[in-house]
Amino acid sequence: MCHCWLTKVAVVLEGDGGVVGQVLVNSGKEVVVKLEKGDILPIPLGSVSWWFNDGDSDLTIVFLGETSKAVIPGEISYFFLVGPQGLVGGFSPELTSKAYNLNKEEVNKLTKSQTQPLMVKVSKDQPIPKPQIDHTKELVFNLNGTQTHNVVINGTLITTLTEATFPFIGEVGLSVIRVKLEPNAIKAPTYPANSEVQLIYIAKGSGKIEIVGLNGERVLDSEVKDGQLIVVPQFYVVAQIAGEEGLESYSIVTTTKPLIEELGGRASIWGALSAEVQEVALNVDSEFQKLFISKIKETTN
């Protein structure tokens, strides 16, 4: 059991037997939900949770969170209730005895019985709470479901999850964006119109990511592969190119209402600017300007 001291989301990459119990702040009750591949589960600040794999295959979950106000900025901070690193065992036996009305032997059993720090192997005959369907529908959202907001353009699938579609994610102040690129496809450059920071996790495949910052400086031009994290500072522009095996990424942005503008593709801001202004800004003739716009409309998103 762990206590979360930052806002984050759990992204299920593999498995279909996940069971999670949460006690939200000031709720006074435990809610138990089921997790499977493609699920997003927000973890609000201050909640206590436990995680169990009730399936026959591996359960792979990645946690993405806002860590600027964490105990150690840039790291996800956990506080465990029990075990060698548990909060309960950190207090003196005298205080624990008075707090829980236990004798010395009972205090020792409470604080010393669990010797595993993080993960515990549960015996098959140990009962575990069953998921509650109503709570699962309310607190969990599957990105592979029919209610997702998908944009599909020339080998690029973009799925965006905000509080407009999934109200509970508003509790963590984040939004989730999944990008699936077919082999050699491109996610054209985009930038945030509001001041959010973006964190990108490469879940599958490989490719290349470029980031351009202030004064047109390219601050990142790097090959990426599964398991890597990329931070995109606020107002920076980012683009993705898939390799031969494609590229799948999950991003969180630090807002519940992301406003993303594009510098390429059919929805590019170039398409909204007048031809005359483009000619002057780029210092090109009208023939090239028309060619440029026509080429943009042919590219991927």
Side-chain angles (χ1 to χ4, degrees):
M1 293 183 292
C2 59
H3 192 293
C4 182
W5 282 28
L6 51 80
T7 57
K8 63 182 180 180
V9 295
V11 181
V12 183
L13 302 180
E14 296 292 342
D16 59 6
V19 180
V20 178
Q22 276 200 93
V23 179
L24 303 179
V25 174
N26 294 327
S27 69
K29 64 178 181 179
E30 178 186 70
V31 293
V32 183
V33 300
K34 177 178 173 55
L35 292 184
E36 60 185 29
K37 183 178 180 179
D39 277 345
I40 303 293
L41 172 62
I43 313 295
L45 180 69
S47 60
V48 174
S49 62
W50 53 263
W51 305 73
F52 178 65
N53 183 6
D54 196 30
D56 297 324
S57 60
D58 289 345
L59 179 66
T60 304
I61 301 173
V62 62
F63 295 96
L64 303 174
E66 214 302 56
T67 62
S68 63
K69 297 181 180 179
V71 175
I72 302 176
E75 295 185 10
I76 292 181
S77 303
Y78 294 100
F79 291 83
F80 298 96
L81 294 184
V82 297
Q85 299 173 325
L87 296 176
V88 174
F91 290 102
S92 67
E94 293 78 14
L95 189 146
T96 303
S97 175
K98 290 181 179 297
Y100 295 107
N101 192 27
L102 300 174
N103 61 37
K104 183 177 180 180
E105 182 180 347
E106 291 167 338
V107 168
N108 188 65
K109 187 171 184 178
L110 174 70
T111 59
K112 304 297 184 182
S113 295
Q114 183 54 262
T115 59
Q116 299 300 315
L118 295 176
M119 295 187 181
V120 178
K121 187 74 172 180
V122 179
S123 62
K124 292 184 178 181
D125 58 351
Q126 172 64 50
I128 296 294
K130 298 298 182 183
Q132 302 151 340
I133 302 302
D134 290 344
H135 288 309
T136 300
K137 291 180 178 179
E138 178 186 0
L139 305 181
V140 179
F141 193 97
N142 191 281
L143 292 181
N144 298 323
T146 58
Q147 296 181 334
T148 54
H149 175 64
N150 294 320
V151 177
V152 183
I153 301 177
N154 295 342
T156 303
L157 170 63
I158 304 172
T159 306
T160 303
L161 182 61
T162 68
E163 67 174 351
T165 305
F166 180 36
F168 185 55
I169 202 171
E171 295 293 320
V172 297
L174 303 171
S175 297
V176 175
I177 302 172
R178 181 181 65 183
V179 176
K180 286 186 174 182
L181 297 176
E182 293 182 357
N184 302 310
I186 181 174
K187 175 68 173 67
T190 59
Y191 67 92
N194 44 8
S195 59
E196 70 260 19
V197 175
Q198 185 176 7
L199 177 66
I200 303 174
Y201 176 79
I202 307 300
K204 186 183 298 184
S206 61
K208 182 180 180 183
I209 286 185
E210 294 188 17
I211 300 175
V212 174
L214 302 177
N215 301 317
E217 179 185 2
R218 190 186 314 138
V219 296
L220 181 69
D221 185 348
S222 178
E223 300 292 327
V224 295
K225 61 181 181 179
D226 60 291
Q228 292 184 321
L229 279 172
I230 300 94
V231 177
V232 184
Q234 58 185 6
F235 304 121
Y236 280 45
V237 183
V238 60
Q240 302 180 35
I241 304 176
E244 295 296 333
E245 53 187 338
L247 184 67
E248 180 177 343
S249 66
Y250 290 84
S251 304
I252 59 167
V253 289
T254 54
T255 177
T256 58
K257 299 178 181 179
L259 300 174
I260 307 296
E261 291 287 353
E262 300 176 4
L263 291 182
R266 299 177 185 178
S268 169
I269 193 173
W270 289 106
L273 292 170
S274 61
E276 296 82 0
V277 169
Q278 292 183 43
E279 292 170 18
V280 173
L282 296 172
N283 193 25
V284 298
D285 56 30
S286 60
E287 182 179 356
F288 181 84
Q289 185 273 330
K290 292 176 182 177
L291 174 67
F292 175 55
I293 293 299
S294 67
K295 293 288 187 179
I296 285 180
K297 293 180 179 179
E298 294 174 1
T299 62
T300 61
N301 185 44

